[in-house]
Amino acid sequence: MTDSLFTEIDHVAIAVNDLDAAVRWYKDAFGASVVHRELVESDGVEEALIAVADSYVQLLMPTSETSPVARYLAQRGEGLHHVGYRVKDCSEALAAVKRMGARVIDEEPRPGSRGTTVAFVHPKTAFGTLIELVQE
Ligand code: CO
């Protein structure tokens, strides 16, 4: 069995302090415009998605001081926050990574933005990258 569970890069997420400023910068620099914007209360973030072919750049701004993205910005500043890999079945992909002994943030898949189903894998056992498994 050599088939990858990944079907696409879903998004590359970038943590920013000022979402409007970041959106404007991407527009001015690259002519890239936002195709979706959403306040994700459960994660304490507002996101703006810029389409790149079938993937997205996800600009992420915290909406509360207790959100993990706020802590990330305080500790490390703006920049690459996580990579979202699109999968056919989030449960299946999460089970596979757990079988590898990987540390996970979500023990079970949960609702993400855009009506997706997602689960996060901890960077500690994933070579330093926070991974989000995204099922559309
Ligand atoms: Co994400």
Side-chain angles (χ1 to χ4, degrees), residues 11 13 58 82 120 132:
H11 61 275
Q58 178 187 62
H82 66 270
F120 280 90
E132 180 179 10

Side-chain angles (χ1 to χ4, degrees), residues 74-110:
Q75 286 166 12
R76 312 187 44 183
E78 293 178 306
L80 200 57
H81 185 262
H82 66 270
V83 177
Y85 294 108
R86 203 172 297 158
V87 295
K88 234 185 275 165
D89 182 333
C90 190
S91 294
E92 177 194 21
L94 184 62
V97 78
K98 281 164 86 171
R99 277 199 300 276
M100 295 294 296
R103 191 168 147 195
V104 296
I105 292 170
D106 298 303
E107 287 294 335
E108 297 295 333
R110 62 179 179 84

Side-chain angles (χ1 to χ4, degrees), residues 6-22:
F6 296 157
T7 59
E8 199 92 48
I9 300 281
D10 186 80
H11 61 275
V12 172
I14 298 165
V16 302
N17 289 315
D18 183 337
L19 193 56
D20 288 330

Side-chain angles (χ1 to χ4, degrees), residues 26-93:
Y26 270 83
K27 173 91 185 148
D28 291 348
F30 306 112
S33 54
V34 169
V35 293
H36 181 81
R37 197 156 164 155
E38 185 171 337
L39 186 64
V40 188
E41 304 257 16
S42 52
D43 289 339
V45 295
E46 185 172 357
E47 70 170 37
L49 294 179
I50 290 165
V52 183
D54 290 331
S55 307
Y56 302 100
V57 173
Q58 178 187 62
L59 302 170
L60 265 185
M61 178 181 74
T63 54
S64 85
E65 277 171 26
T66 53
S67 112
V69 175
R71 286 203 302 275
Y72 180 93
L73 283 169
Q75 286 166 12
R76 312 187 44 183
E78 293 178 306
L80 200 57
H81 185 262
H82 66 270
V83 177
Y85 294 108
R86 203 172 297 158
V87 295
K88 234 185 275 165
D89 182 333
C90 190
S91 294
E92 177 194 21

